[in-house]
Amino acid sequence: MEVENSRLEIRKKINSLVKQFYELKDETFVPGQTHILTGLAVYDDLELNAIFNSVLDGWFGFSKKGEEFEREWAKYVGTRSSVLVNSGSSANFLALDGVKKLNNLKGGEIITAACSFPTTVNPIIQLGFKPHFLDVDKSLNVNPEEIISAINENTKGIMIAHTLGNPAKIAEIAKIAEERGLFLIEDCCDAVGSTYEGKNCGTFGIASTCSFYPAHNITLGEGGSIAINNPELCKIIKSLRSWGRDCFCRSDEHKELGACNKRFDYLLGGIYYDHRYVYSQIGYNLKPLELQAAMGLEQIKKIDQFNKARKRNYKIYQQELEKFDNYINLPEINPKADPVFFGLPLIVNNPDVSRQDLMKFLNSNKIATRFLFGGNLLNQPAYKNIDYLKTGELDYTNNLFKNCFWLGIHPGVTEEMIKYVISKFKEYFSKC
Ligand SMILES: Cc1ncc(COP(=O)(O)O)c(C=O)c1O
């Protein structure tokens, strides 16, 4: 007891020191000197202490905190369950592998966008499907009309992202999928909090994914999640995440014979075997650490506040950048959509403006910029020899490949920073 009390006292001291350490963080913005980043982990001593306490607890592998986060995340997204994994890329891979196993699919075509983050598309190739690439429209998303024209007898599903958080016409796309018996996986890595027709992105398809890498709506350092309504799919994906095991006990399972109530009664090859060591899937290990979930449990409390800051930042930029619409545009936003943008997409629309030169100017003024991921993936070296289909000439995708870039609007971006960025645009465009 005495030892436990001493350990508790030391823990309190550690927590207090961590708080002091955090409070000394200098967040002064010095125009032209402080980098304005495209993504940033926004946290305080609560997250730091959640991580430290998790480490001090001495249980590192995915367990109770991971499961608690899964319940909280499902509640937030609005699905029956969620599965926590080590990245958004793993989430995309497991979502598709799970759907493949659930529906016993052996291949076929999956409709997606050529203007994508690579790991939205990579699972399609890695899991033996053929990507069917479509163009995107001025919302940066694949639209329903294009999808209808691309569907053929080999089409099995649709796997698309809401680009940079701007919702695709996802209710219409979900309807098409349902009517044609196709599955729909929404990559919501950039679209957490965005809604369409008042409904959360991530609730329209059979599964949706998100990323918890620092640039995203909340961060666990690294991490991702799959949001699911179908209990069978959830079970398959959990199994795939955890070596392919058949056991579905929770970490707090108290029944001696496990949740299945027959832990030692599984007959394998004529031998009684422990259910914990029965493998029903060809699985992987894509689990995150408890300390990541501990951080996530603090971050999730702040998500509404973070999303509000993103929306505020987008709105200020939107109002200010209208003045420069002879040079740059923002994407179109569907009237049914209420986006929480991941970044601020800018499309150079004037042949006299060089995107490269503008980005160099911004970067030299400490304003970080990013490309729209792979732009047109078909121009990327990794995709040179893949087996694929495309519908149309991907004209707008190629325009984005050539002319689009984005800036940070995460909650660490302040109004003062935006004012500075706008002043730099003014300076640059005054010389055009
Ligand atoms: C649309 C999209 N999908 C997938 C990912 C992959 O997420 P992660 O970096 O967590 O693997 C990202 C990453 O930013 C993304 O933007």
Side-chain angles (χ1 to χ4, degrees):
M1 194 62 189
E2 217 173 284
V3 173
E4 270 317 299
N5 284 342
S6 302
R7 281 167 64 97
L8 195 64
E9 278 312 307
I10 295 171
R11 192 185 275 246
K12 277 187 191 157
K13 278 186 200 154
I14 292 171
N15 290 169
S16 159
L17 279 173
V18 166
K19 189 166 190 298
Q20 281 176 43
F21 176 84
Y22 171 75
E23 284 168 356
L24 289 174
K25 196 174 174 197
D26 182 9
E27 290 185 308
T28 319
F29 171 64
V30 183
Q33 283 184 37
T34 311
H35 281 101
I36 302 176
L37 301 172
T38 47
L40 184 70
V42 179
Y43 62 90
D44 58 30
D45 55 296
L46 295 174
E47 282 87 343
L48 291 178
N49 272 323
I51 294 168
F52 277 101
N53 286 331
S54 173
V55 171
L56 295 175
D57 286 346
W59 192 277
F60 306 106
F62 180 90
S63 184
K64 288 192 185 85
K65 289 190 181 71
E67 289 168 353
E68 188 184 344
F69 182 85
E70 289 183 333
R71 288 190 289 278
E72 291 301 315
W73 190 249
K75 234 188 273 168
Y76 175 75
V77 177
T79 52
R80 191 177 168 135
S81 52
S82 82
V83 182
L84 185 60
V85 292
N86 61 357
S87 73
S89 303
S90 299
N92 278 341
F93 185 86
L94 286 186
L96 184 58
D97 200 16
V99 170
K100 180 182 175 186
K101 301 224 150 84
L102 179 75
N103 296 328
N104 201 19
L105 297 172
K106 300 281 183 262
E109 291 167 26
I110 297 181
I111 288 174
T112 191
C115 172
S116 281
F117 192 83
T119 53
T120 309
V121 172
N122 293 356
I124 299 176
I125 303 163
Q126 288 154 339
L127 290 164
F129 295 98
K130 192 192 277 196
H132 188 153
F133 291 113
L134 302 190
D135 202 2
V136 291
D137 62 21
K138 287 183 177 171
S139 74
L140 318 179
N141 292 306
V142 167
N143 70 48
E145 296 77 33
E146 291 261 339
I147 290 177
I148 290 173
S149 72
I151 291 172
N152 64 51
E153 68 278 9
N154 297 320
T155 312
K156 303 292 178 212
I158 302 163
M159 185 158 174
I160 48 166
H162 300 278
T163 304
L164 286 181
N166 194 19
K169 291 179 180 166
I170 198 68
E172 291 84 345
I173 294 172
K175 190 161 177 270
I176 295 167
E178 199 186 336
E179 284 170 2
R180 321 276 164 128
L182 308 175
F183 66 79
L184 169 63
I185 297 175
E186 286 175 85
D187 176 339
C188 293
C189 286
D190 301 340
V192 168
S194 294
T195 63
Y196 191 81
E197 292 181 349
K199 198 170 163 226
N200 281 349
C201 289
T203 57
F204 287 85
I206 185 158
S208 70
T209 60
C210 68
S211 165
F212 300 126
Y213 188 73
H216 295 262
N217 305 64
I218 62 166
T219 185
L220 281 60
E222 288 272 7
S225 173
I226 305 120
I228 312 160
N229 281 318
N230 181 321
E232 186 58 23
L233 179 61
C234 183
K235 191 163 173 251
I236 294 171
I237 290 177
K238 280 188 174 170
S239 169
L240 289 169
R241 171 190 62 180
S242 307
W243 310 287
R245 72 200 300 200
D246 197 59
C247 174
F248 48 87
C249 285
R250 279 170 40 166
S251 59
D252 59 358
E253 178 57 58
H254 292 307
K255 271 194 266 164
E256 211 170 298
L257 294 178
C260 62
N261 216 19
K262 48 178 190 172
R263 179 171 166 190
F264 296 106
D265 298 338
Y266 278 79
L267 258 184
L268 280 192
I271 304 288
Y272 283 109
Y273 225 69
D274 182 347
H275 192 211
R276 290 177 73 83
Y277 291 88
V278 174
Y279 301 97
S280 49
Q281 301 291 340
I282 306 290
Y284 319 89
N285 178 0
L286 301 172
K287 292 188 270 79
L289 297 171
E290 277 291 84
L291 61 93
Q292 292 172 276
M295 181 177 188
L297 285 167
E298 291 302 323
Q299 286 267 295
I300 201 170
K301 294 177 195 159
K302 299 176 179 172
I303 192 163
D304 290 335
Q305 163 197 334
F306 285 164
N307 286 346
K308 214 166 141 191
R310 283 178 183 270
K311 284 179 135 179
R312 177 207 61 194
N313 289 347
Y314 191 86
K315 207 166 166 189
I316 301 173
Y317 269 125
Q318 198 177 27
Q319 280 161 359
E320 293 293 328
L321 291 175
E322 257 178 19
K323 296 172 200 149
F324 309 117
D325 64 1
N326 284 339
Y327 306 103
I328 45 171
N329 287 128
L330 294 171
E332 282 183 6
I333 301 173
N334 191 291
K336 295 180 188 173
D338 186 11
V340 174
F341 274 92
F342 171 74
L344 180 83
L346 296 170
I347 304 132
V348 174
N349 63 17
N350 187 321
D352 295 332
V353 175
S354 150
R355 174 180 66 175
Q356 186 192 21
D357 192 57
L358 173 57
M359 287 176 75
K360 278 186 181 167
F361 171 80
L362 294 170
N363 279 277
S364 70
N365 284 288
K366 305 280 191 277
I367 302 162
T369 56
R370 291 286 183 276
F371 276 156
L372 187 49
F373 310 134
N376 178 351
L377 285 183
L378 289 169
N379 291 338
Q380 297 283 352
Y383 302 83
K384 280 276 174 278
N385 297 315
I386 62 164
D387 190 16
Y388 72 93
L389 273 174
K390 68 173 178 168
T391 289
E393 289 311 310
L394 311 182
D395 290 335
Y396 202 70
T397 299
N398 286 325
N399 179 42
L400 296 173
F401 184 67
K402 199 167 154 216
N403 290 314
C404 186
F405 68 100
W406 59 273
L407 304 179
I409 54 162
H410 55 82
V413 173
T414 61
E415 291 189 47
E416 198 187 0
M417 290 176 184
I418 297 177
K419 219 166 144 190
Y420 167 74
V421 176
I422 297 296
S423 77
K424 288 294 149 188
F425 273 115
K426 200 168 168 191
E427 185 182 324
Y428 187 84
F429 291 132
S430 69
K431 291 183 197 140
C432 287

